[in-house]
Amino acid sequence: MKVTACPLDCYDACAVVVDPQSLKMTGLESHPFTRGALCAHLNRHFKEADRITTPRIDGVEVPMEEALAAVAEAVKDAGEEFLLYRGSGNFGFMQAVTEHFTAAWGGWTTEGSLCDGSGQTGIEAGRGISLTLPPESIEEADAVVVWGRNVTVTNPHMARLLKEKTVIVIDPVRTKIAKEADLFLQIRPRSDFYLAVMLARFMFMEDMEDKAFMEERCEDADWYYDFLRTFRIKVSLEKCGIELDDLGDLLYQMQNKKTVFLVGTGVQKYTIGDQVLQAIDGLAAVLGFFGKPGCGVSFLGDSTAGFRLPFNFSPKKCGKPVAPFGRFKTVLVQGANPLAQMPGLLKVEEQMQKVETLIYFGLYENETSERAKIVLPAKNFLEKEDVRLSYGHPYVQPMPKIVEAESGISEYELARYLFDSLGLEGLKEEHYYIEYMLDQCKKEGEFYKSPAYETYPYAEEFATDSGNYEFLEEFEDDFDDEGEGLWLLTPKSPHSLNSQFRRERHAVLHPSHGFEEEQRVRIVSEHGAVELPVRLSEDVRKDCVLIYAGTPGVNFLTPPMQSLMGKSACYQEVKVKVERI
């Protein structure tokens, strides 16, 4: 039996035991966080998915050597008009070795995120760095506020840490955990900022702020209360779609309790995403909830925090949500599906048509592989060496090769081929990079921990220039949230991961709109339209339509733009209309 880690884009980063003969996978029971459990994505959907097994050029199957030669020739022909567009659906560190090649070649890559970039930027503005809140600290909490995170779907191993705690859920959707919570606030989409600043203001009004923490650990704390007072209570309550009594209930549930905020990416899928996270962080700072047992804000931690990285990265970057593909002769798409995942698909398709050579490098067929001139099959995580970092817990996990691949090529092997065939220098042996990362970790028994690990993050100081927490100083927002239409919600599906595995096919609406189950409708935004069958649910707010991320066509509705800070996709910065067909 061999031990490895699940590579999929998930908070939990499960430790996995694999039988090298049968390839049966089970969870590693001794792992401090995942404790022997695996989620359905790895346990079932990963095995069901059909892999690409043979390279193609212009739709014709060819030997791997011929495909690699064609890739090298396309990169050479493009010169600096080469773009690497790399996805984040696989969190093995060696995925980034192609960035190292791109830097050596002088090509372009992307910056920002389709997921969490604006939120991380907001956290870094206040704390200096986004450290992971360790599970053992969360376990010490008396109360947990689950804010825009569907724990059951995206973070299932967290569920055991919520037992025997006061659980408060804030979400536009009545999720499974919301139905079991002590308090559920079903707020309007895009109102999380207003709720956070209102709560912080009421903490001052009720004399619940941590005066000592604010005086000793926060910058310009006195000024922050004046800033909070600029937001009128009545207007803010209306934006949130809640009553003053709801706010009182939330304050009561948190009073005199060590509290952790589990914040999901849904709260920051807007142009103002950075300000939302900094406002939630600011609420925690007002309460003194940093650097103490059972307290803190858990978002997606920076998995590379504390590491010295062995790869070089190109200084030539374009924003990932708005990548201008049409500017490049050759585009290499690695482990991503921009023709389904990127916002503003009409514009993306228009840009892709201008690309002379589109190369797809990945495991599964999708909209992008179907359009690609060259298709390279990738090796999966059992067929190559790697190391797994995590944004949800502090453990770093070696990923040894467990079985020989019958087809495909690894990221390192592709980079090695391109370095050699294009006459470049600067790529070391694969084991060097893996050992370089592991050597920086803290070793505790059989497990590695991130060099940035702290039992209670920010207990000594924040990583800002002042060493203190720094509050949000201004708020900028010009979106008309009172415009006509329904809010679009795009959460992760329980059956798919981004556009991998069993993708959803429905639009979910509240029954009050008068549609029937499975009735086909046309959903329209100012950016495009899509036709989908309806699924009815009273768990969705009446002013929303929910279409899971990865649903074919959903991103024809989303805006081709990025957040004000952090270069993050703004999937939910849009209202839509639902029409009968």
Side-chain angles (χ1 to χ4, degrees):
M1 306 299 278
K2 290 191 175 182
V3 176
T4 184
C6 173
L8 299 177
D9 182 3
C10 171
Y11 289 96
D12 292 355
C14 298
V16 185
V17 179
V18 183
D19 183 330
Q21 302 304 316
S22 67
L23 299 186
K24 179 181 179 181
M25 292 184 281
T26 55
L28 179 66
E29 293 185 1
S30 62
H31 191 273
F33 179 55
T34 59
R35 295 189 179 184
L38 299 180
C39 77
H41 288 314
L42 185 65
N43 226 0
R44 184 164 62 250
H45 305 323
F46 177 82
K47 301 172 186 176
E48 296 172 350
D50 291 328
R51 288 180 60 180
I52 301 172
T53 57
T54 308
R56 300 193 302 268
I57 299 177
D58 291 324
V60 178
E61 294 186 353
V62 298
M64 178 64 78
E65 187 65 29
E66 183 177 341
L68 289 173
V71 169
E73 185 61 30
V75 173
K76 183 178 180 180
D77 183 57
E80 293 185 5
E81 293 179 26
F82 166 71
L83 171 67
L84 169 67
Y85 188 94
R86 190 167 66 89
S88 58
N90 184 312
F91 264 74
F93 176 73
M94 291 303 296
Q95 307 290 305
V97 70
T98 48
E99 301 269 4
H100 192 59
F101 160 73
T102 303
W105 180 248
W108 287 70
T109 185
T110 61
E111 61 181 338
S113 170
L114 297 185
C115 180
D116 64 316
S118 58
Q120 180 167 320
T121 300
I123 286 174
E124 290 171 349
R127 307 184 213 168
I129 192 171
S130 179
L131 296 179
T132 300
L133 186 63
E136 56 267 34
S137 182
I138 298 171
E139 197 163 16
E140 295 182 72
D142 300 318
V144 176
V145 180
V146 182
W147 200 325
R149 184 188 297 190
N150 189 356
V151 171
T152 309
V153 171
T154 63
N155 197 187
H157 291 83
M158 186 64 68
R160 67 176 177 82
L161 302 184
L162 307 186
K163 293 179 179 178
E164 299 181 6
K165 292 177 172 53
T166 299
V167 176
I168 302 159
V169 175
I170 302 169
D171 204 297
V173 181
R174 190 182 300 274
T175 59
K176 181 179 178 181
I177 193 170
K179 296 173 183 177
E180 301 167 355
D182 295 278
L183 176 65
F184 171 49
L185 293 186
Q186 193 168 18
I187 64 172
R188 291 178 70 194
R190 210 179 180 278
S191 67
D192 307 89
F193 173 86
Y194 296 96
L195 180 57
V197 296
M198 263 201 307
L199 285 169
R201 180 176 178 180
F202 271 80
M203 294 300 173
F204 281 104
M205 292 168 61
E206 298 296 323
D207 203 29
M208 292 173 64
E209 78 275 22
D210 188 327
K211 295 181 177 62
F213 183 88
M214 293 188 68
E215 182 178 341
E216 298 168 11
R217 302 292 312 280
C218 297
E219 199 76 4
D220 296 325
D222 292 338
W223 174 89
Y224 192 56
Y225 181 52
D226 292 334
F227 171 75
L228 296 174
R229 292 174 62 192
T230 64
F231 297 93
R232 296 172 56 194
I233 293 174
K234 182 179 179 181
V235 173
S236 296
L237 286 170
E238 289 173 352
K239 284 184 175 292
C240 294
I242 61 174
E243 303 293 332
L244 189 59
D245 287 347
D246 297 322
L247 207 61
D249 290 342
L250 199 159
L251 294 174
Y252 174 77
Q253 293 287 357
M254 291 174 55
Q255 193 170 16
N256 300 320
K257 293 176 181 175
K258 295 181 295 183
T259 302
V260 162
F261 298 86
L262 301 181
V263 184
T265 59
V267 307
Q268 51 91 74
K269 291 183 178 181
Y270 309 101
T271 51
I272 59 170
D274 64 304
Q275 297 168 95
V276 174
L277 261 296
Q278 197 171 359
I280 294 174
D281 256 11
L283 169 61
V286 167
L287 292 165
F289 284 168
F290 284 108
K292 300 175 182 178
C295 298
V297 178
S298 168
F299 186 58
L300 283 71
D302 180 354
S303 61
T304 62
F307 283 102
R308 301 180 305 278
L309 301 182
F311 297 143
N312 294 326
F313 294 85
S314 174
K316 301 174 183 177
K317 300 178 186 295
C318 55
K320 180 163 284 188
V322 292
F325 296 110
R327 285 172 39 190
F328 301 95
K329 289 187 69 174
T330 297
V331 174
L332 170 59
V333 173
Q334 174 189 326
N337 185 12
L339 283 168
Q341 293 172 285
M342 280 182 65
L345 274 187
L346 283 175
K347 189 171 182 179
V348 177
E349 289 188 339
E350 181 182 292
Q351 287 283 311
M352 278 294 193
Q353 289 173 1
K354 300 176 183 178
V355 176
E356 188 172 307
T357 304
L358 174 61
I359 305 164
Y360 174 78
F361 175 39
L363 287 168
Y364 309 114
E365 299 284 9
N366 56 38
E367 289 89 339
T368 305
S369 69
E370 291 173 2
R371 189 79 63 88
K373 180 180 179 66
I374 304 172
V375 175
L376 289 180
K379 290 182 177 179
N380 70 26
F381 76 107
L382 301 175
E383 301 164 343
K384 60 188 178 184
E385 303 283 336
D386 213 328
V387 59
R388 174 63 153 97
L389 312 182
S390 172
Y391 55 73
H393 61 65
Y395 297 98
V396 176
Q397 301 173 84
M399 300 174 69
K401 183 169 74 172
I402 291 172
V403 63
E404 292 293 334
E406 296 180 0
S407 62
I409 187 171
S410 73
E411 291 75 19
Y412 179 83
E413 289 165 339
L414 175 59
R416 177 82 277 168
Y417 183 91
L418 292 173
F419 264 89
D420 293 344
S421 63
L422 296 171
L424 301 175
E425 296 182 352
L427 183 67
K428 299 180 184 294
E429 295 300 315
E430 184 175 34
H431 67 83
Y432 166 84
Y433 298 109
I434 293 172
E435 291 174 7
Y436 184 88
M437 295 297 286
L438 292 175
D439 286 347
Q440 297 179 66
C441 295
K442 303 173 182 179
K443 191 76 184 293
E444 292 187 6
E446 61 182 303
F447 299 105
Y448 294 89
K449 281 186 174 180
S450 164
Y453 169 76
E454 297 177 12
T455 307
Y456 306 119
Y458 314 103
E460 298 298 324
E461 64 177 2
F462 292 92
T464 57
D465 291 340
S466 66
N468 292 329
Y469 180 80
E470 299 188 358
F471 289 106
L472 183 68
E473 295 181 354
E474 59 183 358
F475 178 64
E476 179 182 352
D477 184 22
D478 58 5
F479 183 77
D480 179 14
D481 58 6
E482 300 300 327
E484 292 184 0
L486 303 177
W487 292 100
L488 176 64
L489 301 177
T490 60
K492 284 191 174 181
S493 159
H495 306 299
S496 65
L497 192 61
N498 302 323
S499 63
Q500 299 178 99
F501 311 138
R502 291 166 48 192
R503 297 163 70 177
E504 303 287 347
R505 305 281 170 173
H506 290 78
V508 185
L509 288 160
H510 193 276
S512 63
H513 292 290
F515 296 105
E516 297 179 2
E517 195 81 16
E518 298 297 333
Q519 179 180 351
R520 287 194 70 80
V521 296
R522 178 178 169 85
I523 304 164
V524 183
S525 79
E526 61 182 294
H527 311 291
V530 64
E531 293 184 6
L532 294 169
V534 168
R535 181 169 292 154
L536 300 176
S537 174
E538 294 186 351
D539 295 332
V540 179
R541 280 181 58 104
K542 295 178 182 179
D543 56 0
C544 299
V545 55
L546 184 153
I547 306 177
Y548 285 108
T551 300
V554 61
N555 282 315
F556 287 114
L557 303 172
T558 55
M561 63 189 301
Q562 60 188 18
S563 54
L564 295 173
M565 301 293 290
K567 294 181 170 63
S568 194
C570 305
Y571 291 111
Q572 298 179 174
E573 187 94 337
V574 65
K575 285 192 170 184
V576 301
K577 295 181 180 179
V578 183
E579 302 172 349
R580 288 177 167 79
I581 298 176

